[in-house]
Amino acid sequence: MTTDIHQYLAEFEDIPGTRVYTAARARMGYQLNQFAMSLMKPENRARWKADERAYLADWPLTDDQKQAVLDRDYNRLLDLGGNIYFLAKIFSTDGLSFVQAVSTMTGMSVEDYQAMMLAGGRSPEGVRSKKEQN
Amino acid sequence: MARITAGVGTSHVPAIGAAIDLGKTGEDYWKPVFAGYDWSKDWIASQKPDVVILVYNDHASAFDMKFIPTFAIGCGERFAPADEGWGPRPVPDVIGHPDLAWHIAQSLILDEFDMTIINEMTVDHGLTVPLSLMFGQPEAWPVKVIPLAVNVVTYPPPTGNRCWALGEAIRRAVESFPEDLNVQVWGTGGMSHQLQGPRAGLINAAWDNMFLDGLIGEGDALRHIPHIEYLRETGSEGIEMVMWLIMRGALGPLTHCLHRHYHVPASNTAVGHIVLEPVTGD
């Protein structure tokens, strides 16, 4: 395994349709993820459900991050530093399962995504490397 | 003297916990998942381990982004189930083994592993789902549990090689504990899954089974798999499989496979399960 951190990180950019939760993303998304984490408390969930914008006003998120949260645009949230285990607090509060929420990032309908999983999941063929297109 | 008698590898999918808690295990979707644990439930009832060192990862429950320990060991008396957003799972508190845990922590630190020591925390599905799979729904867990939490969320997680070496050090630590204890080490999480991005839903059964093969016998090729390979081949969350290497390292040079199970899908993931025993020279 390489110990050159630059080479190590560069490899992650070569995986199609994947955002690895690197330090750069963790730094960008710190407040976003901590906001999501706050929804683990029932009293916070109640405040959030009552008025999402008012709840978000208490958090030092960027305007882009706030909009992506309101839009439940999970791919955008990943790009803005979100991590799926933290973002899960948002979709759990919405009453969505992992399958329901995760499928929204794939461009497939929930039903088609579920059918793909039942048929053995997404094949790694063709989605291992952008560079080598395999 | 304390001794490590077996290793268990298993997925810890949250939907499996929900299926158990909501009484859905008999549904067509879930039957083949749980069938693979029938043998293991009988086996572990006969084994009666005193302590399980349960290697798992926290999913933004006890740990948020404030602190990110690479390896953390629970030395407390008990650990309650975490509220992951829909209330805590209706499962018993986990009872720790502080004497053994502190002994392991001290031994590992002298063995040059920089452990984080935890006295108070809640434990999420990463720890409680494997217990449910192996023990069902008892009033109290029939074993003491030492939680060993690994960061596999924020990059870089520890290398497979480091995890394997930590397992070897855990074995040395356990074997130097004077009390006569039957100890198991479990590696949880995995197998293939990707929970994020347009590539979500990736499953690589061939790779997963290669990994299960590699846990058996005396080879140690798995410890040298780089992170990028887990990510490319088994999805972004497939990196959790490095935690199984702590279990494997703790079993010593040679293992024998007692039971093995693989199924796709449970929610977004493959389910893998293996029961191994160390083969000693005597």
Side-chain angles (χ1 to χ4, degrees), chain A residues 1 8 12 14 16-19 21 34 37 40 45 75 85 89 92 99 102 105 113 117 120 122 127-128, chain B residues 59-61 64-65 83 85-86 155 194-201 203 227 231-233 240 265 267-268:
Chain A
M1 181 154 179
Y8 175 83
F12 296 152
D14 184 49
T18 302
R19 280 85 156 174
Y21 192 58
Q34 294 299 81
M37 190 80 187
M40 287 183 72
R45 291 197 287 270
N75 280 330
Y85 290 130
K89 319 306 180 196
S92 295
V99 168
V102 163
M105 295 186 275
Y113 183 85
M117 294 314 300
R122 182 187 304 283
V127 290
R128 290 185 172 97
Chain B
H59 304 73
S61 300
D64 56 16
M65 291 303 291
D83 181 345
W86 49 86
Y155 276 71
Q194 173 150 343
L195 302 176
Q196 48 106 345
R199 203 177 73 136
I203 300 287
H227 289 161
L231 292 163
R232 281 197 205 284
E233 298 293 332
E240 291 181 3
S267 183
N268 289 285

Side-chain angles (χ1 to χ4, degrees), chain A residues 84-100:
Chain A
I84 193 63
Y85 290 130
F86 289 82
L87 300 177
K89 319 306 180 196
I90 304 174
F91 63 69
S92 295
T93 304
D94 288 338
L96 296 184
S97 70
F98 263 86
V99 168
Q100 289 168 325

Side-chain angles (χ1 to χ4, degrees), chain B residues 87-272:
Chain B
R89 285 195 65 211
V91 292
D93 282 6
V94 165
I95 306 302
H97 195 305
D99 288 338
L100 178 59
W102 275 109
H103 171 82
I104 292 171
Q106 295 174 93
S107 302
L108 290 176
I109 290 166
L110 285 181
D111 213 352
E112 303 184 339
F113 287 85
D114 306 313
M115 304 302 293
T116 297
I117 291 158
I118 303 173
N119 286 307
E120 292 185 34
M121 68 169 173
T122 56
V123 289
D124 71 15
H125 71 268
L127 187 133
T128 62
V129 165
L131 289 171
S132 299
L133 282 167
M134 296 298 288
F135 293 119
Q137 296 167 286
E139 288 290 307
W141 299 121
V143 68
K144 293 185 172 174
V145 177
I146 297 176
L148 199 153
V150 180
N151 167 46
V152 288
V153 174
T154 304
Y155 276 71
T159 63
N161 189 52
R162 188 65 173 159
C163 288
W164 191 295
L166 178 66
E168 293 173 329
I170 288 170
R171 181 180 183 85
R172 291 191 288 273
V174 168
E175 289 179 346
S176 67
F177 189 70
E179 202 176 323
D180 182 31
L181 291 175
N182 176 355
V183 179
Q184 294 185 357
V185 181
W186 296 8
T188 76
M191 307 207 70
S192 347
H193 57 310
Q194 173 150 343
L195 302 176
Q196 48 106 345
R199 203 177 73 136
L202 189 114
I203 300 287
N204 189 342
W207 200 98
D208 287 343
N209 279 288
M210 176 280 293
F211 188 92
L212 291 170
D213 290 343
L215 296 167
I216 302 164
E218 62 182 345
D220 70 347
L222 298 181
R223 67 194 294 172
H224 302 300
I225 296 170
H227 289 161
I228 186 71
E229 183 172 333
Y230 289 97
L231 292 163
R232 281 197 205 284
E233 298 293 332
T234 72
S236 46
E237 280 63 47
I239 192 67
E240 291 181 3
M241 277 185 274
V242 296
M243 295 189 290
W244 294 39
L245 300 182
I246 297 175
M247 174 272 288
R248 175 62 190 84
L251 298 181
L254 185 62
T255 64
H256 171 65
C257 178
L258 296 173
H259 177 65
R260 175 173 175 165
H261 168 55
Y262 185 81
H263 176 77
V264 177
S267 183
N268 289 285
T269 132
V271 173

Side-chain angles (χ1 to χ4, degrees), chain A residues 43-117:
Chain A
E43 61 272 26
N44 290 345
R45 291 197 287 270
R47 277 186 55 218
W48 162 251
K49 283 182 181 172
D51 189 338
E52 294 189 358
R53 285 176 194 273
Y55 190 86
L56 278 175
D58 291 348
W59 288 88
L61 306 188
T62 65
D63 288 344
D64 281 354
Q65 287 172 331
K66 286 182 182 173
Q67 194 56 51
V69 169
L70 293 169
D71 294 344
R72 305 298 194 271
D73 184 344
Y74 287 103
N75 280 330
R76 182 82 181 126
L77 287 167
L78 294 175
D79 284 336
L80 297 173
N83 173 276
I84 193 63
Y85 290 130
F86 289 82
L87 300 177
K89 319 306 180 196
I90 304 174
F91 63 69
S92 295
T93 304
D94 288 338
L96 296 184
S97 70
F98 263 86
V99 168
Q100 289 168 325
V102 163
S103 62
T104 68
M105 295 186 275
T106 63
M108 304 170 77
S109 69
V110 177
E111 294 73 24
D112 287 351
Y113 183 85
Q114 282 173 321
M116 175 182 80
M117 294 314 300

Side-chain angles (χ1 to χ4, degrees), chain B residues 48-96:
Chain B
K48 298 189 173 57
D50 299 301
V51 185
V52 167
I53 300 169
L54 205 157
V55 183
Y56 76 111
N57 65 294
D58 181 81
H59 304 73
S61 300
F63 307 144
D64 56 16
M65 291 303 291
K66 285 181 191 164
F67 311 105
I68 308 168
T70 296
F71 295 121
I73 183 165
C75 296
E77 300 281 349
R78 65 195 299 139
F79 306 94
D83 181 345
E84 299 183 53
W86 49 86
R89 285 195 65 211
V91 292
D93 282 6
V94 165
I95 306 302

